[in-house]
Structures are given as C-alpha cells and as structure tokens.
Amino acid sequence: MLHGYGADAHDLMGLADALDPNLLVISIQAPNRLDWGGYAWHNLYPAAIGFREDSESRLTSEKMLATDIQKIIELECGSIKNVTLLGFSQGAAMCYGLILRQQLHTTGLGIERVIALSGYIPEDAERVSILPPPIPRFFIGHGRFDELVKPEAADEAELILTNLGATIEKHLYPIPHGISDEEVVDVADWMSK
C-alpha cells in the first residue's frame, strides 16, 4: 500500500480489514517528510493550474520502491510471485509509474494486480508503448467530485492501459478526493475474484 501526499504508512491500513485476512498487507511510508507533517513520494510545486510534480524526486522514490518492495516481502515471508500494488492519489501515481516504466520488471516480483484510487499516470510514463507480460489487472477507483485529481485522470489511465493490453475495472463514486465505503467493498470483491 502506498499512501497519498501528506499522509503516512498508517493512512491506508484500515483497508486491510476489508481484505482477505490471509493476505500479507504491507504499507510503505514515503521518504520525503513535509514541513507541516506527513510524507510525500515526490515534491509538488504550484503551477498555473493546480500543481506540477517534480519528476526527479518521483523517479528517486520509484527506484527505492523497486528494490525495497521485494526485500520487505521476503523479510515478512510473503510471496514475491503474487503481488498487488495499491495506491491512493500520489501513491496511485507511484504504482502507475512503477508498472509503466517497468521499474519492477527485473526484480522478480510478480505484480498480478494494481489498485489505483484517485490517482493519475505521471506525464513521463504516458509515453510507454509496450508492457511486457505478464500484464497486471487494474482496478481504478475515483471520485466524481474529486477537486484535487480530476476524474478525467481515471479515463486517461483507462485509455492508456487498455491500449497497452491491460484488463481494467473502473468505478466512479459520488465523492470528492477520498475513498468511500462502497469503494472499499468494490476493491475487496475485485480482489476475491
């Protein structure tokens, strides 16, 4: 589990209660501490419309995750051959980046599923033209009234991933930027299939 901007490793752990109790759930904390509290996977800067991401700090975090995820799973005696990545907001962007730039391809990790909640595909990852097999399945959840990451980001992700041969299940929810109870149920149902 990869939390969003300004949160920490504890933020998404409530989701674990809704998932299969036999799963090993690991929540990783982003490396960049924010001045006002919380953590970030990469820096954000104000732009004319919204924010601009710092791709250099994001790529540094992606490289860290590519090496650390396998080590953490093995340390916790989990299976590196059946891994699900779950991210919220900036954490979802990290999941997309790791998969699309194939950061995890050489690690031996078998990424079976990606759950991207209220996230977006980083601009430099949009240009990927092929995903090597096995291509993970994707669950995309997004709030229809999300004011931070516009719901169009879910449509863009669906289009890009479908064109790369991925299987997508996308849900929009009548909420702002966040995770609804209905979304948690849908994620748990999707995971159980």
Side-chain angles (χ1 to χ4, degrees):
M1 293 184 167
L2 305 179
H3 63 80
Y5 185 85
D8 62 26
H10 303 286
D11 189 55
L12 298 175
M13 288 306 293
L15 293 174
D17 296 336
L19 302 176
D20 182 340
N22 295 314
L23 294 174
L24 169 63
V25 178
I26 298 167
S27 184
I28 302 174
Q29 188 158 285
N32 302 312
R33 184 166 179 75
L34 299 171
D35 292 340
W36 46 270
Y39 296 83
W41 295 103
H42 54 81
N43 300 320
L44 295 176
Y45 302 106
I49 299 174
F51 290 92
R52 178 179 57 82
E53 66 178 19
D54 172 41
S55 57
E56 185 176 328
S57 61
R58 193 191 70 255
L59 291 172
T60 299
S61 289
E62 283 182 14
K63 288 176 186 169
M64 177 216 49
L65 283 169
T67 58
D68 288 356
I69 289 173
Q70 180 178 357
K71 291 176 188 174
I72 293 168
I73 291 172
E74 289 175 339
L75 182 67
E76 296 294 330
C77 300
S79 170
I80 65 166
K81 297 299 179 191
N82 185 10
V83 177
T84 299
L85 295 177
L86 183 151
F88 172 72
S89 193
Q90 194 180 71
M94 294 298 296
C95 293
Y96 285 137
L98 285 165
I99 295 299
L100 291 172
R101 267 193 301 285
Q102 304 166 32
Q103 294 279 10
L104 302 175
H105 190 63
T106 59
T107 64
L109 287 172
I111 306 299
E112 298 287 328
R113 292 161 299 279
V114 176
I115 301 167
L117 308 176
S118 300
Y120 57 93
I121 293 182
E123 284 184 24
D124 57 345
E126 292 176 358
R127 296 183 289 275
V128 171
S129 60
I130 189 168
L131 276 178
I135 298 173
R137 294 182 302 123
F138 287 81
F139 179 99
I140 298 173
H142 214 106
R144 280 193 179 100
F145 309 116
D146 192 329
E147 70 287 354
L148 295 178
V149 180
K150 298 298 182 195
E152 291 81 13
D155 299 331
E156 292 169 8
E158 180 182 33
L159 179 63
I160 290 168
L161 295 166
T162 299
N163 287 338
L164 292 172
T167 301
I168 312 294
E169 184 169 323
K170 183 180 81 173
H171 297 262
L172 296 176
Y173 302 92
I175 59 169
H177 193 68
I179 301 172
S180 70
D181 292 341
E182 180 185 359
E183 192 169 8
V184 172
V185 169
D186 288 344
V187 167
D189 287 346
W190 182 78
M191 284 286 293
S192 69
K193 293 176 186 176

